[in-house]
Amino acid sequence: MERPENKRGVPSVFTCVDGTEVKTKEEWFLKRRPELLELFRREEYGRLPDMKDVELHFRVADVREGDDIMAGGAERKTVEVEAVRKGRSFIFNFVLFVPKGLKKPVPAFVLVCNRGIKDCDPARHMLSSFYPAETIISRGYACAAFRTQEVAPDYEDGFTTGFHRLFPEYAAPGVHLAKGGWEKTGRPADAWGALTVWAWAASRIMDYFETDPQINEKQVAVVGHSRGGKTALWCTAQDERFAMAVSSCAGNSGDALARGSKGECIKDIVTRFPYWFAGNYQKYADHEENLPFDQHMLVSLIAPRLVYTTSKTF
C-alpha cells in the first residue's frame, strides 16, 4: 500500500499514544480505536455524564396508515423517548415511516434534522428535498427523523434544557452538599456538548429499532447535514451498531482536516458554537498543530463499516 505525502502534517492513524505502531486488526480494536475515542471525547466533543441512573422509556404514541400517509405506501409511527433521572425527565419524539407490504425486515435511515418542522414534517404536507422520505420509502427503506432542538437546543442555554436538565449539577459552577461533605459543581472541561447529545439521541432510536420486527437493525445508517453531518460521524464512530454514516458538508470539526485549513478553522467554530463541544476544545483555537488527532481519525473510527461524505467548495 502506498500512502500519499503527508503535506499537512496530520498525525498517523496507526501510531499509538505510546509511539507503538498498529500492525494487526486486534491491535486496532483493542488498543488504538479505544485510545482515539477517548481523545475525541476528552478534547473535542465531550463525554456523556454517568448514565447508570438514567431510565429510558419508549412508547409508540401513534400508528397510522392509509391513503393520506404517502398515498398509502407507508405506515407512520410516532415514538416517544423519555429519559428520567432523580425525579427529572425530558421527552423527545421521532417519526418512523415504514414501507407497506413488507416480506422481511427492511434497512433504515436515521436523519439528524437540524432544521425546522417543514423539513421533517410528520404529516408530509410539505415535501422537502432535505428529507426525501417519499423517495426512501419507494425504494424499500424505512426512515426516521428527530429534531435536534427537541433533544438539546442549538444555542447557548447554560445547559439547563432538554437532555441537559437531567444533570443540574453540571449547569453552573458552585458547591452542593453530598455524601461525605461539600462538592464542587459545574461543567468539567471534558463534559459533553450538544453534538454528543444529538449523537446519543440517534443511538436511542437504534435502541428502539432493535425491538421493532419491521426494521433490520443490522442495516441502519445515520444521516446528517452540516452540524448534523458532524453528529452522524460522531454517532457512528461511537456506536458500532450502525452500519453506515452519511455525512453532508460536515466541514470543520467534522470530516475536514483542521491542520492547514484555508476555510473555517477551529477558532471560527468554537467562537460561534462553543456549546457544541467540550470546553477543552477551546484551547486549540489558533493552535491546531497541538491537537493530538485530526478529523481523518474520526472517519477511521467507523472502519470497516461504510462512510459516505460530501463537501462543497466555493
Side-chain angles (χ1 to χ4, degrees):
M1 182 179 69
E2 292 185 8
R3 297 185 184 183
E5 185 181 353
N6 188 0
K7 294 181 180 180
R8 292 167 72 169
V10 296
S12 170
V13 169
F14 297 112
T15 303
C16 297
V17 170
D18 64 7
T20 59
E21 294 290 319
V22 173
K23 300 293 186 183
T24 67
K25 175 181 176 181
E26 290 71 26
E27 288 173 342
W28 169 256
F29 281 104
L30 294 177
K31 182 177 181 180
R32 183 56 170 160
R33 188 176 186 279
E35 187 175 85
L36 286 174
L37 277 172
E38 170 61 18
L39 287 173
F40 277 105
R41 288 189 179 115
R42 190 184 73 215
E43 300 296 324
E44 184 170 0
Y45 300 115
R47 66 179 82 251
L48 287 170
D50 188 345
M51 302 292 286
K52 68 176 182 296
D53 56 355
V54 175
E55 297 180 11
L56 292 171
H57 306 283
F58 298 87
R59 184 174 74 92
V60 180
D62 182 62
V63 180
R64 298 192 186 190
E65 57 183 80
D67 291 343
D68 59 338
I69 306 296
M70 294 190 182
E75 177 182 88
R76 186 186 75 199
K77 299 180 183 180
T78 302
V79 182
E80 180 183 276
V81 183
E82 181 181 25
V84 182
R85 177 181 182 258
K86 296 183 178 180
R88 291 172 171 258
S89 69
F90 99 99
I91 293 171
F92 77 92
N93 299 288
F94 67 90
V95 174
L96 169 65
F97 291 101
V98 183
K100 294 292 292 297
L102 299 180
K103 294 182 180 179
K104 60 181 180 180
V106 295
F109 293 94
V110 175
L111 172 66
V112 181
C113 184
N114 56 291
R115 295 191 176 185
I117 190 64
K118 71 177 183 178
D119 287 302
C120 59
D121 173 25
R124 304 308 295 171
H125 292 149
M126 299 171 284
L127 302 185
S128 168
S129 58
F130 183 81
Y131 179 36
E134 287 77 10
T135 301
I136 296 170
I137 289 295
S138 72
R139 295 185 179 181
Y141 298 91
C143 54
F146 74 96
R147 294 184 62 228
T148 55
Q149 291 281 12
E150 287 190 28
V151 179
D154 198 359
Y155 56 84
E156 184 64 75
D157 74 323
F159 290 87
T160 58
T161 59
F163 173 92
H164 308 317
R165 74 181 304 274
L166 297 177
F167 299 90
E169 65 269 31
Y170 284 79
V175 293
H176 76 287
L177 186 60
K179 187 175 182 180
W182 291 93
E183 288 184 353
K184 290 184 178 180
T185 61
R187 295 185 63 72
D190 65 348
W192 72 96
L195 294 174
T196 290
V197 178
W198 298 336
W200 171 87
S203 287
R204 304 294 69 77
I205 296 176
M206 175 60 90
D207 290 345
Y208 169 78
F209 280 175
E210 290 181 325
T211 71
D212 191 325
Q214 293 181 306
I215 304 299
N216 181 350
E217 74 278 8
K218 302 298 183 183
Q219 293 182 307
V220 179
V222 189
V223 185
H225 170 72
S226 188
R227 65 208 67 187
K230 294 174 177 50
T231 302
L233 292 169
W234 180 223
C235 173
T236 310
Q238 296 179 92
D239 193 336
E240 295 182 76
R241 296 177 298 173
F242 287 103
M244 183 178 186
V246 180
S247 173
S248 165
C249 299
N252 185 273
S253 304
D255 57 359
L257 292 176
R259 287 168 171 80
S261 174
K262 295 181 180 179
E264 188 176 43
C265 62
I266 291 176
K267 182 178 180 179
D268 296 326
I269 205 163
V270 298
T271 299
R272 294 181 64 197
F273 307 108
Y275 52 87
W276 285 357
F277 307 100
N280 276 333
Y281 200 44
Q282 295 280 342
K283 65 191 178 187
Y284 299 108
D286 284 336
H287 296 287
E288 283 85 355
E289 70 281 358
N290 293 334
L291 278 168
F293 52 83
D294 214 315
Q295 297 305 124
H296 64 305
M297 293 175 168
L298 175 63
V299 179
S300 77
L301 289 170
I302 301 173
R305 294 165 294 144
L306 302 176
V307 181
Y308 181 86
T309 68
T310 65
S311 61
K312 184 175 181 179
T313 57
F314 295 92

